[in-house]
Amino acid sequence: METKYLDKLIESVDNIDTCEMLQEVYKDVFTFIKEQLASLQGQADSFGVLQKLLEIPQSIDDVLGWVQDFIQEYLAKVLAPLAKIQADILLLTGKLLEIQAKITEKMKSIPSCSFSLTSE
């Protein structure tokens, strides 16, 4: 974790000569740490679900539950960004086709306008 920001605020306490400035520095440090802790707790909570996957199933029913939890709680979350990437690729490809069609149509209305719509 990067602490340069906090280190500078802590160092600045020596140079403060008003109560208002001291309060401001404390408020900044407290707010920053509170936000960071909330973020870290959220990250820890998301991994907490995975801890139950470390428990060895004791029965066939437990194995089935474990596999289901593994797929839903781990694989689905790990692979979620891949689904977004694939959707973004489809979206960009569609937009490229849309702009190519529009440019092709516009070229027809401009005399002597012709160029390749491929990458250069």
Side-chain angles (χ1 to χ4, degrees):
M1 166 173 273
E2 184 58 52
T3 62
K4 287 180 185 178
Y5 173 71
L6 290 174
D7 293 339
K8 287 185 184 218
L9 286 175
I10 292 168
E11 287 175 20
S12 74
V13 170
D14 291 333
N15 300 323
I16 294 174
D17 56 3
T18 68
C19 185
E20 292 80 15
M21 286 295 295
L22 199 57
Q23 287 175 318
E24 188 65 31
V25 167
Y26 176 74
K27 180 180 149 196
D28 290 348
V29 168
F30 184 80
T31 300
F32 181 81
I33 290 176
K34 182 178 167 185
E35 290 169 355
Q36 293 299 309
L37 287 173
S39 173
L40 290 169
Q41 187 60 51
Q43 293 172 37
D45 290 347
S46 70
F47 285 106
V49 174
L50 298 177
Q51 284 184 314
K52 70 180 178 180
L53 295 176
L54 296 175
E55 299 170 8
I56 297 172
Q58 300 298 316
S59 69
I60 294 297
D61 289 337
D62 289 346
V63 170
L64 293 175
W66 187 94
V67 169
Q68 190 172 22
D69 288 344
F70 179 75
I71 292 169
Q72 292 173 344
E73 301 296 340
Y74 180 71
L75 286 181
K77 291 176 182 175
V78 168
L79 296 176
L82 179 59
K84 171 133 178 40
I85 290 168
Q86 291 170 333
D88 288 347
I89 289 170
L90 289 174
L91 177 68
L92 288 174
T93 302
K95 290 297 178 184
L96 178 60
L97 294 173
E98 184 180 340
I99 192 71
Q100 286 176 334
K102 194 158 193 92
I103 288 172
T104 300
E105 190 61 34
K106 186 64 177 177
M107 275 196 261
K108 294 175 185 175
S109 68
I110 301 172
S112 300
C113 180
S114 178
F115 56 89
S116 174
L117 296 177
T118 61
S119 62
E120 295 180 32

